[in-house]
Amino acid sequence: MKTRTTLTIILFFIIQVFASAQQEIIPDDADVKVGVLDNGLTYYIRHNRLPKQRAEFYIVQKVGSILEEEHQRGLAHFLEHMCFNGTENFPGNSLVDELEKKGIKFGVNLNAYTSIDETVYNLSNIPVDREGIIDTALLVLHDWSGFILLNDKDIDEERGVIREEWRTRNTAGYRAMKETLKNIFPGSRYAERIPIGLIDVIDNFPYQAIREYYKKWYRPDLQAIIVVGDIDVDLIERKIIKLFSDIQLPENAEPRKEFGVPNNIEPIVSIVTDPEIQHSEISVFFKREAIRASEKNTTAHYSTVMAENLVASMFNQRMYEISQKNDPPFNGAAGGFGTFSVAKTKRAWGIKANPRNNKDWEKSLRTLLLENERIKRFGFTNTELERAKINTLRNFESGYKERNKRVNKSFVSMLVQNFLNSEPYPDIEWTYNFVQEFLSGLELEEVNSLASTLATDINVVFTFTGTQNDNIVPPTPDDILRVWNESKKAELFPYNDEIVDEKLFDVNLSKGKIIKTEQQAFGYTQWTLSNGIKVLCKRTNYKEDQVVMTAYSPGGISLIAEENLPSALAMNNLAILGGVGNLNQVRLKKLLTGKKVNVSPFVNGLSEGINASASPKDFVTLLQLTYLAFTQPRRDEDAFKTWVTNTREQMTNASLNPMNSLNDTLTSILTCNHPRSIQFNIDVLEKIDYNKSLSLFKERFSDASDFTFFITGNINLDSIKGDVETYLGALPSSYQNEKFVDWEMYPPKGVIKKHFERKMEIPKSSIVVIYTGEIPYTLENAILMDFLKSTLDIVYTENIREKEGATYGVSVNGTINKYPTERYSLQIQFDTDPSLREKLLTTIYDEINKISRHNPDNVSTDKIKKYMLKKHTEKQVNNRYWQSVINAYIINGIDVYSDYEKIVSSVTPSMIRKFAKKVFSQKNIVEVSMNPEEH
């Protein structure tokens, strides 16, 4: 009784905080057509023109693993798999086959997910230039809704696939989550309904069990069809009504239950350890009642959500500032409002931290609780709120500017949440106007009233997950409760918000000049500056609020002496770790309030450069930050010490994850233990000289004359000329004309096999096979590599996943590089039951031998061709795609755009076979497998 009364008071208090926001109904997006058929099925249809001639087709089910009985645990997820293994109109594997013939790729455009409370299926980026494809997509959704065959043979074949999915997903994180849920959901079904289920059920459930589950829960009153894209809304509606009206709603259908989460007066404390966990985490949840569905479409609720987001933003900024101090209590920390863990029937304010060294749990927890308590007692400051409001409004402003450039998925996500959770779906103009008005009228006292409810004495849940070994002692429940009780009694003072009143840029520059203008390929204009820099610019209208910029210069780490490599390897981490100019990272972040800009310098093996992006109105800030990154990276000894401590911990903990052993082994073999191929480990970390690292970084950026900048986005070239001359033209140049050095760090020739054992909690074999060699760097070869990779994807999916059920999936990746020499690498990787390792390796090599001797079938080649052409069309309305095109043209000397479709269309099975023979006949093979220790 006490718990219920207190919760009611808290909820009433929060609502009263924003009583000024009247209970007005949020208007739905008028362009969405919504209907409900007589059988209860809901549909949402919206026209949207981006991407052109593409649409999204979704079926959303209010059905998940929470509805399983004990003997059905895992069947909701199993059923998701079965939707791709035989339906009324697409028996066997014909569903995937039929769609892939239309360029709709399984796992990319054709997918699904199962969670605890819902299951969602999607056909994405579907070409809708022909009515027949629309009919096929809707027929697939129709079959998924209630016409899955669930044949005995298909079920048995899928058991192995899901067993291997369980093996692959059974990581330390999964095991910790599983145990944590049991602890924090006493008396609730949420405690034991992780979708993957129980292996005993997966292996042994009778066929009728899954059929009963399907018949009971997959029904129209729990389903919604969502179609968004470049379609005729009325035509789609007629088709849905005609196709889906025949689905019968079962008589006496059992109501879809909601599963509650009991309140708790005394704190719940969950402590879970695992020997493979790399990073400890400690969390605190203050549970509260979920918002009623009937209240979610009101402006009062929307106002509360906005205020909650501001509170979370300000809390997280404080946590960030603490993490940047010398000897911080945690590596990182954050807070936020949302569902309580996996339960949609309970909300919570949650705060969490990652303790340093996996040991400092008490410092982390104490800091979290004290800061939470400080906010409860004193609230936030006006300056904090103003920054949070400015950043929030800037994000909505960006969305508003992009209102005519929104892609289909942005609408789909809102409609999915409306059906599942009654979340509103207003149009972007209403949203932007509402947010402007709300933020302008929001007072600090209102926000602080909400903040005063963050910490409660009831419905509190603590969780700790950490590594399990002899050197680290995890906390006990009494330890955690002691810190909690102490924090509530601690003497605290209001937060002091440091105000930044200096300028970002206060440098007198010697402005450069554009001395030459040329027209380059693909609509780019090239400027040559007086300091030697080349700038290539292209105006696009793909995104209203985006400009992307990259820069490239040859050299990189290849020009650094071997004895300085430890410090060189840390350059990317340390270069602007301390900020730029006179501003550390905390002050810099505050100064950039309301700006949408990011600048990241980098130095890699063969080059150095910049990756950056900004809103058009912040483009000058982007150029200023670029200048400062080149010339004034800031040294911060405290930040460096913190980075070293955190990095040491990460490296120490990395050894707990078996996959790191596999990666380290591969690196050693593929580089032939070259003296310049040093692995970034603790020994290397201890050799890093901060001053040397900054000096090396400055050296790499001291000569701008050989830099090429690429700028693409919504910019007016005439308007930015002066700014480019001012900031890029002022960068120092010494005209050294550097080139990278090829240290001949190549993979080994011949066949190298390395099998080793590693202690594991869940036994599995992880296998990697890599083919390497020399090949000309041409567009045709790059395209043929994609065909070869995709062909192997198809045959391995069919013969290893589907027929054998021996792995969750085989990953195939192939690349061709021009620098330092023209070489290729093709990598095949998979996990499996250790007893199946040799058998599957034999299959891997057998298929390679087949494709080297025999043409792949025409059907597979045509599937790949259609997908590649479809994907190429879709990429052409993206700024970053054109950045990659011009970069390849200028830096690599290859046109990857003009003849792409022509070459793809001309590829034949014979060409793929001949290319495969070139790749595999060089017989440079690295085979590595990591297996569990035998006990």
Side-chain angles (χ1 to χ4, degrees):
M1 185 66 185
K2 174 186 174 185
T3 302
R4 186 181 301 115
T5 301
T6 306
L7 285 171
T8 302
I9 291 172
I10 291 172
L11 183 59
F12 176 78
F13 188 60
I14 293 173
I15 292 173
Q16 289 305 304
V17 168
F18 302 102
S20 58
Q22 297 178 2
Q23 287 275 11
E24 297 177 8
I25 300 300
I26 297 174
D28 296 333
D29 180 351
D31 289 328
V32 178
K33 176 166 279 191
V34 186
V36 180
L37 302 181
D38 291 341
N39 57 15
L41 183 138
T42 304
Y43 61 83
Y44 303 81
I45 312 167
R46 192 192 197 282
H47 177 266
N48 184 55
R49 62 188 184 87
L50 293 176
K52 187 178 180 181
Q53 295 186 341
R54 297 288 186 269
E56 304 287 308
F57 294 80
Y58 275 62
I59 180 167
V60 184
Q61 321 246 11
K62 294 181 180 179
V63 179
S65 55
I66 195 73
L67 297 175
E68 298 166 346
E69 301 300 333
E70 189 66 22
H71 69 284
Q72 297 173 324
R73 288 176 60 183
L75 296 195
H77 171 251
F78 201 114
L79 189 56
E80 175 215 312
H81 279 238
M82 295 308 299
C83 282
F84 300 95
N85 286 285
T87 68
E88 182 177 81
N89 290 289
F90 302 94
N93 293 320
S94 63
L95 188 151
V96 174
D97 183 61
E98 180 69 23
L99 292 173
E100 289 197 331
K101 288 177 181 177
K102 296 175 170 60
I104 302 165
K105 189 172 182 179
F106 179 57
V108 179
N109 308 126
L110 175 63
N111 218 328
Y113 74 84
T114 304
S115 70
I116 289 181
D117 273 301
E118 76 253 20
T119 308
V120 178
Y121 300 83
N122 66 285
L123 289 85
S124 294
N125 272 343
I126 305 304
V128 288
D129 51 337
R130 298 198 315 274
E131 190 171 343
I133 298 181
I134 295 174
D135 291 337
T136 299
L138 290 173
L139 188 59
V140 169
L141 300 187
H142 168 271
D143 277 13
W144 282 341
S145 70
F147 302 93
I148 307 173
L149 296 179
L150 296 174
N151 293 328
D152 296 359
K153 178 177 176 292
D154 296 334
I155 291 172
D156 286 336
E157 287 181 348
E158 201 65 22
R159 292 183 200 265
V161 174
I162 294 179
R163 186 166 53 244
E164 294 309 315
E165 180 178 359
W166 171 86
R167 191 188 309 279
T168 296
R169 295 186 186 276
N170 207 315
T171 61
Y174 163 82
R175 295 190 295 273
M177 177 184 68
K178 183 178 177 182
E179 291 303 311
T180 299
L181 293 182
K182 287 182 181 180
N183 296 335
I184 68 175
F185 286 108
S188 172
R189 190 176 282 198
Y190 283 106
E192 295 185 324
R193 286 300 182 272
I194 294 178
I196 198 70
L198 301 177
I199 286 300
D200 285 346
V201 172
I202 300 304
D203 285 341
N204 302 304
F205 73 86
Y207 308 125
Q208 193 58 26
I210 196 169
R211 292 168 187 151
E212 289 174 352
Y213 181 90
Y214 180 51
K215 183 178 180 181
K216 182 176 182 179
W217 296 118
Y218 272 48
R219 59 187 208 227
D221 62 317
L222 300 178
Q223 297 171 335
I225 302 299
I226 300 174
V227 181
V228 176
D230 195 4
I231 42 88
D232 181 327
V233 171
D234 293 335
L235 174 65
I236 296 295
E237 183 180 38
R238 291 195 297 271
K239 288 180 179 291
I240 288 175
I241 293 172
K242 180 179 180 180
L243 188 60
F244 289 86
S245 293
D246 69 339
I247 302 173
Q248 297 298 310
L249 178 64
E251 293 184 10
N252 303 315
E254 182 174 327
R256 200 300 194 184
K257 304 177 197 173
E258 295 290 340
F259 295 87
V261 178
N263 295 320
N264 57 285
I265 295 177
E266 298 300 321
I268 294 173
V269 182
S270 170
I271 297 172
V272 177
T273 60
D274 188 286
E276 292 180 5
I277 286 181
Q278 296 183 66
H279 305 288
S280 297
E281 181 176 288
I282 192 157
S283 302
V284 190
F285 297 95
F286 298 92
K287 296 189 300 187
R288 54 190 67 202
E289 295 305 306
I291 305 299
R292 295 186 187 94
S294 60
E295 297 173 356
K296 288 187 176 180
N297 67 336
T298 65
T299 52
H301 168 63
Y302 202 84
S303 299
T304 302
V305 171
M306 290 293 302
E308 288 178 342
N309 290 338
L310 290 168
V311 166
S313 172
M314 291 185 285
F315 177 87
N316 291 337
Q317 175 61 27
R318 288 192 184 183
M319 294 301 101
Y320 171 73
E321 291 182 21
I322 291 172
S323 73
Q324 296 300 300
K325 293 179 179 178
N326 185 29
D327 193 26
F330 40 63
N331 294 332
F337 291 91
T339 58
F340 170 50
S341 185
V342 298
K344 64 188 293 183
T345 53
K346 208 76 159 182
R347 297 186 78 240
W349 162 250
I351 53 179
K352 66 179 182 179
N354 295 112
R356 300 179 78 196
N357 304 316
N358 276 332
K359 295 179 180 180
D360 293 340
W361 69 265
E362 183 166 344
K363 287 183 181 179
S364 294
L365 179 60
R366 190 179 301 279
T367 303
L368 276 178
L369 291 171
L370 287 178
E371 291 307 314
N372 202 58
E373 185 70 20
R374 191 190 314 276
I375 290 169
K376 177 183 177 181
R377 295 186 199 176
F378 305 109
F380 297 98
T381 67
N382 264 314
T383 50
E384 287 180 291
L385 179 59
E386 285 308 305
R387 286 198 303 272
K389 288 165 70 172
I390 290 170
N391 284 331
T392 298
L393 186 59
R394 181 66 186 87
N395 289 334
F396 279 93
E397 179 189 17
S398 181
Y400 180 71
K401 286 183 177 180
E402 300 288 359
R403 64 192 181 281
N404 296 320
K405 304 291 184 181
R406 295 177 69 184
V407 295
N408 295 331
K409 284 189 177 180
S410 67
F411 293 102
V412 169
S413 61
M414 288 198 308
L415 299 177
V416 168
Q417 288 307 310
N418 177 259
F419 179 69
L420 292 174
N421 300 312
S422 301
E423 297 293 344
Y425 58 97
D427 66 46
I428 190 66
E429 185 169 357
W430 180 92
T431 303
Y432 182 51
N433 290 334
F434 177 83
V435 170
Q436 283 182 298
E437 183 178 352
F438 171 76
L439 291 177
S440 65
L442 183 64
E443 299 294 336
L444 180 64
E445 291 75 14
E446 296 175 289
V447 175
N448 285 343
S449 293
L450 172 61
S452 69
T453 71
L454 293 185
T456 58
D457 289 329
I458 60 170
N459 269 346
V460 183
V461 178
F462 296 90
T463 69
F464 173 85
T465 57
T467 192
Q468 183 184 96
N469 61 50
D470 296 335
N471 299 321
I472 296 176
V473 179
T476 67
D478 287 343
D479 292 332
I480 286 176
L481 294 178
R482 170 180 54 79
V483 175
W484 181 48
N485 287 319
E486 290 171 355
S487 71
K488 291 189 289 184
K489 302 172 185 176
E491 182 181 10
L492 296 172
F493 300 95
Y495 177 76
N496 180 33
D497 183 33
E498 181 187 10
I499 308 302
V500 181
D501 56 3
E502 56 201 290
K503 295 180 180 179
L504 169 66
F505 200 86
D506 191 16
V507 182
N508 293 319
L509 299 179
S510 178
K511 181 179 177 180
K513 289 288 185 182
I514 295 173
I515 60 174
K516 188 176 183 181
T517 299
E518 303 168 87
Q519 294 307 306
Q520 272 287 7
F522 320 118
Y524 277 86
T525 296
Q526 178 174 302
W527 295 325
T528 302
L529 304 183
S530 51
N531 58 356
I533 289 177
K534 289 183 171 56
V535 182
L536 289 96
C537 305
K538 177 184 174 78
R539 182 173 190 174
T540 70
N541 61 358
Y542 307 132
K543 299 279 285 184
E544 295 293 337
D545 203 36
Q546 184 188 68
V547 181
V548 294
M549 184 182 83
T550 58
Y552 166 89
S553 167
I557 293 175
S558 76
L559 298 182
I560 293 173
E562 188 176 319
E563 63 268 21
N564 290 329
L565 287 179
S567 298
L569 290 176
M571 282 189 290
N572 289 340
N573 302 102
L574 302 181
I576 55 174
L577 178 73
V580 292
N582 296 318
L583 297 163
N584 64 22
Q585 285 291 355
V586 171
R587 294 170 67 80
L588 180 61
K589 186 176 180 181
K590 288 183 177 181
L591 198 63
L592 294 176
T593 296
K595 294 186 180 294
K596 189 178 177 182
V597 61
N598 178 64
V599 174
S600 299
F602 68 85
V603 183
N604 61 29
L606 302 176
S607 65
E608 52 271 342
I610 297 282
N611 288 318
S613 63
S615 166
K617 74 176 186 178
D618 297 321
F619 183 67
V620 171
T621 303
L622 178 150
L623 295 176
Q624 291 174 339
L625 287 170
T626 298
Y627 182 90
L628 293 173
F630 264 77
T631 62
Q632 296 184 36
R634 181 178 176 276
R635 188 179 186 281
D636 188 325
E637 189 64 31
D638 287 342
F640 172 68
K641 289 177 180 178
T642 298
W643 176 81
V644 170
T645 301
N646 293 344
T647 305
R648 185 185 295 112
E649 177 189 349
Q650 292 169 8
M651 291 175 173
T652 301
N653 297 339
S655 63
L656 301 173
N657 185 342
M659 292 306 295
N660 284 290
S661 297
L662 180 65
N663 294 333
D664 290 346
T665 301
L666 282 169
T667 300
S668 294
I669 294 173
L670 290 171
T671 60
C672 299
N673 291 308
H674 193 287
R676 291 185 65 85
S677 176
I678 59 175
Q679 297 193 35
F680 200 15
N681 53 30
I682 291 179
D683 289 339
V684 172
L685 180 67
E686 304 302 336
K687 297 176 183 177
I688 292 173
D689 181 319
Y690 187 24
N691 291 330
K692 173 61 71 175
S693 186
L694 285 180
S695 174
L696 291 169
F697 176 82
K698 291 178 181 178
E699 178 184 300
R700 298 311 322 131
F701 285 82
S702 63
D703 178 12
S705 64
D706 61 356
F707 272 81
T708 303
F709 285 78
F710 305 95
I711 303 171
T712 308
N714 186 20
I715 48 167
N716 183 297
L717 271 61
D718 290 335
S719 298
I720 68 169
K721 272 184 177 181
D723 296 322
V724 167
E725 290 177 320
T726 297
Y727 298 104
L728 299 187
L731 290 171
S733 292
S734 55
Y735 303 96
Q736 296 179 43
N737 194 29
E738 292 178 329
K739 306 290 184 183
F740 64 78
V741 176
D742 179 7
W743 293 97
E744 299 183 355
M745 194 160 44
Y746 305 139
K749 291 185 177 296
V751 179
I752 307 292
K753 294 188 178 184
K754 172 75 172 179
H755 298 180
F756 67 97
E757 294 183 348
R758 178 73 156 73
K759 185 178 180 181
M760 302 177 189
E761 292 300 300
I762 300 298
K764 71 175 179 180
S765 287
S766 296
I767 298 102
V768 181
V769 177
I770 302 177
Y771 285 80
T772 62
E774 300 175 357
I775 202 163
Y777 180 83
T778 65
L779 176 58
E780 181 175 301
N781 280 341
I783 287 171
L784 287 170
M785 178 62 84
D786 283 342
F787 269 93
L788 176 58
K789 180 196 87 68
S790 297
T791 302
L792 289 172
D793 269 335
I794 291 172
V795 297
Y796 289 147
T797 298
E798 179 181 345
N799 295 325
I800 295 181
R801 175 181 161 124
E802 300 300 334
K803 288 185 179 178
E804 297 289 341
T807 184
Y808 182 50
V810 179
S811 171
V812 185
N813 289 293
T815 59
I816 300 178
N817 296 314
K818 181 169 185 178
Y819 301 123
T821 59
E822 296 176 317
R823 302 183 63 85
Y824 70 87
S825 173
L826 189 142
Q827 177 173 308
I828 302 161
Q829 184 168 356
F830 60 95
D831 296 334
T832 190
D833 186 321
S835 66
L836 299 175
R837 183 193 69 188
E838 292 301 328
K839 179 181 180 181
L840 296 195
L841 271 171
T842 299
T843 303
I844 291 291
Y845 290 120
D846 283 348
E847 294 299 337
I848 285 171
N849 290 332
K850 286 180 186 177
I851 202 171
S852 299
R853 297 171 183 167
H854 308 287
N855 293 344
D857 63 84
N858 286 307
V859 173
S860 293
T861 301
D862 192 52
K863 286 180 182 178
I864 298 165
K865 187 176 297 186
K866 287 186 175 177
Y867 173 73
M868 290 175 67
L869 292 172
K870 169 179 168 290
K871 187 70 175 176
H872 186 246
T873 299
E874 293 165 1
K875 289 192 297 187
Q876 292 175 40
V877 291
N878 186 292
N879 288 324
R880 297 192 187 280
Y881 169 72
W882 289 106
Q883 286 281 97
S884 68
V885 168
I886 192 64
N887 189 285
Y889 185 75
I890 299 298
I891 307 304
N892 296 335
I894 182 172
D895 180 349
V896 299
Y897 168 74
S898 300
D899 292 331
Y900 183 88
E901 293 183 359
K902 176 182 176 182
I903 295 173
V904 170
S905 299
S906 69
V907 170
T908 63
S910 174
M911 292 169 66
I912 299 171
R913 172 182 55 80
K914 292 175 182 177
F915 181 79
K917 189 173 182 179
K918 289 180 185 178
V919 168
F920 299 126
S921 65
Q922 297 188 38
K923 297 189 182 302
N924 300 321
I925 308 170
V926 172
E927 176 189 303
V928 176
S929 70
M930 180 176 66
N931 310 293
E933 288 181 354
E934 295 184 8
H935 299 289

